[in-house]
Amino acid sequence: MDETTSPWLYLFGRGEDYQSYRRFGAHLVSPGVWQFLVWAPHAAGVAVVGDFSDWEPVALTPIGETGCWQGQHAGDVGQLYKFHITTQAGEVIEKIDPYAFAFEKKPGTAAKLCDLPKHEWHDAAWQDLQKQQPIYSRPLNIYEMHLGSFQRHEDGSYLSYQELAKLVIPYVKQMGYTHIELMPLMEHLLDASWGYQLMGYFAATSRFGAPEDFLAFVDAAHKAGLGVIMDWVPGHFIRNTDTLAQFDGTPTFEYQDPHRADNVRWGTWNFDLGKTQVQSFLISSAMYWLDHCHLDGLRVDAVSNMLYMDYDAGKENDRNVNGGRDNLEGQAFLKKLNTSVFAAHPEALMIAEESSAFPKVSAPIDMGGLGFNYKWNMGWMNDTLKYFEMDPYARRDHLNLLTFSWVYTYDEQFILPFSHDEVVHGKKSLMHKMPGDRYNQFANLRVMFVWFMTHPGKKLLFMGSEWGQFLEWRDYSALEWVDLDDPMNAAMQQFTKTLNKLYKKRPSLWVNDHDPSGMQVTKGDGPEQLAYIRKGETADDFTIVVLNLMPEEIQNYPIAVPASGDYEIVLNTESYHFGGTWRRLQRTLHTTGEPMDGQPDQVRVVLPAMSALLIAPKKIRREPHEH
């Protein structure tokens, strides 16, 4: 095999082999015989060592001028192996297989002989549905998870992929979510990194079982009608010397310039995103998870770090060749990534975790964008939490923390995230952030969740927040499921489930998330209440949202409505079923015949203290001139 007879080696060198995982690494080529292929462009020699050779080196052969090395050896599935790289200085260094599909359990870093994981898929109906219905006009409500701390055995050990599938999938389905987002499951050494400091870009972590078990987890989710998204980290990788760092004794996957290679903020190495072979490697990783593992999307981590030269600590004065702060090769890589992914998977979710004001992150490339189809709305999240953490009587002068989001809501296709980052490292859980005593904390949390679920944009909530866990998230132990023995937590869980299901049931809350026609504000100047209408595709499909942001009940409160007739309150956050005090709820409301706030009519309600109401048309009538 050489570059003249292997067009994919040529494409790999050009940064255009997007299924390089089918060739690189270890693959079974005949019964008991494995072929090894590795990229080590500046190595003086490469050998494979493993259980199958009693850890004696088996030399590989260079393939022309490609920088790739190949060879074959007999071995059994599951046997461990590594590469021995002889550097130009004559030093022999031990390295992982960058393309391995499986690794031994930490703290070891040896790969396992494992060909492409196999699974008999049963998700054709799910796959067809994704292709038929654009995600933009569907409900998208994501349950973010860290599998290692959702639940554990009594002795503190991890549950397996199989055990997690039986536990997680029915729970997430029952709670009314549409997707599960998994924090990085690619192989990593340090538990405390939560998977964001990676070494295995093609290997589901061995913590929870075999690669095939992970595929079965995804299949089970799809059969249950749940999508699966995974966090993916193409910007940087773990520093450990036996992984990707200085792979052939020189900067290989990282930048040649040590200043650019050094990621100070996360203690990692930055990928050289301008290097074509690195592009083939990373885009192939994305394709592996989307294509071979049937994931529905990737949340791309730390996009800002790939957009700017000066994003990292100590690099405030870094500039590109044109004197600007843009990371030109990083931006080009992201466009290439998204172009490649959507060419193969038009229905995929490519979500940017991006915290700057970089324009058009979620716009198509031919419109000057980066090509993602979603971006996390970090500004909305920060402002919302800042507002709700205040004492209610201190909020009067700060309603703009909520309403400012309306200025830029449609600048991007946003996901509203209450993620793991907001409930860890001393930040407190969402419930614990709320002001007042325990009762008022839950009342505030319910109102904030209504704001979250009715504001334009798709949704993401981190595990445990749905029942108001008091403790902040800890990666080293299970969620505090014992909380659900407390009636307040159980009621909060019931509220979140009810709200999730109501969200899915009412198209007006999601079908026009990215169109200004999908929302009309009727009361936005406060300072104590907000009211707005979420609108669907027809004149009769709308939901009226009213927030009382003060702990004071208001009698006979007027609410503008877009048509005369009868309305019903479909959600009252102060219902005793949800932990509130209201046992007798208003149901049917009749319009008064009085126009209000630019609308043709109004209804009047008792607005509970610190509450939110969702109101829907029951039987409305329109004048002939109304549309």
Side-chain angles (χ1 to χ4, degrees):
M1 176 174 64
D2 59 39
E3 63 270 33
T4 60
T5 58
S6 301
W8 48 265
L9 267 181
Y10 170 76
L11 293 175
F12 175 77
R14 286 176 54 88
E16 296 173 0
D17 182 6
Y18 304 144
Q19 291 194 328
S20 57
Y21 63 86
R22 295 186 178 276
R23 292 165 278 276
F24 283 80
H27 290 274
L28 199 60
V29 291
S30 62
V33 178
W34 298 79
Q35 177 156 293
F36 299 90
L37 179 65
V38 63
W39 176 59
H42 298 108
V46 178
V48 62
V49 299
D51 290 338
F52 45 78
S53 67
D54 293 326
W55 293 92
E56 291 297 320
V58 177
L60 303 185
T61 304
I63 308 175
E65 302 299 320
T66 64
C68 299
W69 302 72
Q70 67 171 347
Q72 293 186 358
H73 199 278
D76 296 326
V77 171
Q79 288 187 308
L80 302 181
Y81 71 97
K82 285 191 173 184
F83 291 117
H84 276 189
I85 310 285
T86 302
T87 71
Q88 292 291 339
E91 180 187 5
V92 177
I93 54 178
E94 191 173 80
K95 290 291 182 177
I96 66 166
D97 178 359
Y99 280 90
F101 298 121
F103 285 88
E104 64 178 327
K105 292 185 182 297
K106 63 181 180 75
T109 58
K112 288 183 174 182
L113 284 179
C114 173
D115 208 343
L116 266 173
K118 293 179 173 60
H119 178 74
E120 185 178 340
W121 291 94
H122 301 90
D123 65 346
W126 170 265
Q127 299 285 1
D128 289 343
L129 180 64
Q130 306 319 298
K131 294 171 183 175
Q132 293 165 10
Q133 297 184 4
I135 191 64
Y136 313 108
S137 57
R138 278 191 283 147
L140 179 59
N141 187 11
I142 303 166
Y143 189 72
E144 187 193 24
M145 298 188 62
H146 177 260
L147 285 186
S149 56
F150 179 76
Q151 183 59 281
R152 291 200 179 184
H153 293 123
E154 289 186 7
D155 63 1
S157 60
Y158 293 123
L159 273 62
S160 68
Y161 289 119
Q162 295 170 326
E163 292 169 321
L164 287 161
K166 293 177 182 177
L167 182 67
V168 168
I169 292 167
Y171 177 75
V172 176
K173 180 73 172 178
Q174 179 188 26
M175 287 298 297
Y177 293 94
T178 65
H179 288 68
I180 302 170
E181 180 171 320
L182 302 168
M183 292 165 70
L185 285 180
M186 295 175 281
E187 194 61 87
H188 56 285
L189 286 173
L190 181 65
D191 289 345
S193 78
W194 311 335
Y196 291 97
Q197 294 191 8
L198 294 165
M199 68 176 195
Y201 276 75
F202 300 85
T205 179
S206 59
R207 285 165 175 78
F208 314 121
E212 293 80 7
D213 296 331
F214 174 68
L215 301 186
F217 178 98
V218 176
D219 201 10
H222 286 172
K223 287 188 287 185
L226 295 170
V228 183
I229 305 163
M230 186 174 70
D231 290 5
W232 184 67
V233 191
H236 58 103
F237 58 89
I238 192 171
R239 283 190 187 271
N240 292 44
T241 56
D242 58 346
T243 60
L244 299 181
Q246 300 268 320
F247 189 76
D248 61 9
T250 69
T252 308
F253 289 90
E254 66 271 44
Y255 286 102
Q256 188 77 27
D257 177 359
H259 177 73
R260 290 203 68 186
D262 185 14
N263 191 308
V264 178
R265 183 173 308 208
W266 294 302
T268 52
W269 294 118
N270 290 318
F271 278 109
D272 182 348
L273 299 175
K275 192 175 291 184
T276 52
Q277 295 88 345
V278 172
Q279 294 169 8
S280 286
F281 173 78
L282 288 172
I283 296 176
S284 291
S285 171
M287 292 296 191
Y288 172 75
W289 298 103
L290 294 169
D291 191 7
H292 190 75
C293 300
H294 287 209
L295 292 191
D296 298 280
L298 300 173
R299 193 221 69 166
V300 181
D301 185 63
V303 168
S304 299
N305 186 62
M306 294 180 276
L307 294 179
Y308 298 107
M309 300 284 294
D310 59 353
Y311 183 76
D312 196 10
K315 302 185 180 182
E316 293 80 7
N317 298 316
D318 286 13
R319 293 295 180 265
N320 61 37
V321 292
N322 300 321
R325 56 192 294 259
D326 286 355
N327 181 342
L328 300 176
E329 59 266 38
Q331 293 175 21
F333 166 77
L334 291 170
K335 292 177 182 179
K336 186 174 186 176
L337 165 71
N338 287 321
T339 299
S340 307
V341 165
F342 287 123
H345 297 280
E347 74 287 354
L349 287 161
M350 291 297 287
I351 303 164
E353 188 263 321
E354 203 283 305
S355 56
S356 78
F358 192 93
K360 298 185 177 181
V361 171
S362 59
I365 292 166
D366 60 7
M367 296 177 62
L370 285 179
F372 291 94
N373 53 6
Y374 277 101
K375 173 183 172 175
W376 274 18
N377 193 336
M378 310 290 273
W380 175 91
M381 177 272 299
N382 283 313
D383 287 349
T384 292
L385 291 178
K386 186 176 181 180
Y387 179 87
F388 276 95
E389 286 174 8
M390 293 180 183
D391 180 276
Y393 290 100
R395 294 173 180 168
R396 285 193 170 105
D397 296 328
H398 300 282
L399 189 66
N400 64 300
L401 286 170
L402 299 187
T403 59
F404 178 68
S405 64
W406 295 337
V407 174
Y408 62 88
T409 289
Y410 304 105
D411 289 355
E412 301 275 3
Q413 292 183 161
F414 281 122
I415 290 176
L416 311 181
F418 285 136
S419 75
H420 65 279
D421 279 328
E422 311 317 316
V423 294
V424 74
H425 293 331
K427 292 183 180 179
K428 302 180 181 178
S429 68
L430 292 186
M431 195 281 283
H432 197 187
K433 292 177 193 286
M434 300 296 106
D437 58 20
R438 186 167 167 79
Y439 176 85
N440 281 292
Q441 285 181 313
F442 277 107
N444 274 272
L445 188 61
R446 292 192 296 269
V447 174
M448 188 176 79
F449 275 18
V450 169
W451 167 247
F452 165 57
M453 294 298 290
T454 61
H455 189 287
K458 308 307 184 184
K459 324 297 176 187
L460 178 141
L461 185 70
F462 185 61
M463 64 181 193
S465 302
E466 70 271 21
W467 72 72
Q469 176 170 293
F470 179 79
L471 291 178
E472 68 179 18
W473 172 55
R474 302 175 300 185
D475 65 270
Y476 52 84
S477 64
L479 294 176
E480 295 289 310
W481 292 97
V482 68
D483 286 351
L484 293 174
D485 293 337
D486 185 305
M488 292 294 288
N489 290 107
M492 185 67 206
Q493 185 189 50
Q494 179 62 36
F495 170 76
T496 304
K497 181 197 298 186
T498 302
L499 183 60
N500 286 348
K501 292 186 174 182
L502 187 62
Y503 164 79
K504 287 170 67 175
K505 182 180 178 181
R506 300 198 61 77
S508 56
L509 296 178
W510 40 263
V511 72
N512 283 322
D513 265 330
H514 312 305
D515 188 327
S517 68
M519 181 174 180
Q520 183 174 8
V521 178
T522 55
K523 184 175 180 60
D525 53 0
E528 298 169 356
Q529 290 83 38
L530 282 180
Y532 48 94
I533 305 170
R534 290 301 310 274
K535 298 183 176 183
E537 294 183 316
T538 66
D540 294 342
D541 177 20
F542 60 88
T543 304
I544 300 165
V545 184
V546 187
L547 308 180
N548 184 7
L549 301 164
M550 296 294 290
E552 298 172 2
E553 182 179 294
I554 305 175
Q555 297 285 329
N556 204 33
Y557 185 78
I559 299 169
V561 297
S564 301
D566 296 336
Y567 289 79
E568 60 180 335
I569 296 175
V570 294
L571 185 82
N572 180 338
T573 61
E574 275 299 290
S575 166
Y576 77 97
H577 294 293
F578 305 143
T581 59
W582 278 48
R583 290 182 175 272
R584 296 184 63 186
L585 301 174
Q586 285 181 291
R587 291 298 184 190
T588 301
L589 307 172
H590 307 285
T591 52
T592 67
E594 305 166 83
M596 178 185 175
D597 293 336
Q599 301 299 312
D601 217 325
Q602 62 175 271
V603 294
R604 291 183 174 263
V605 301
V606 179
L607 190 57
M610 191 55 62
S611 70
L613 301 180
L614 266 61
I615 300 170
K618 188 174 183 180
K619 186 178 181 180
I620 59 174
R621 58 184 182 275
R622 295 183 181 273
E623 300 299 326
H625 65 275
E626 287 187 65
H627 297 285

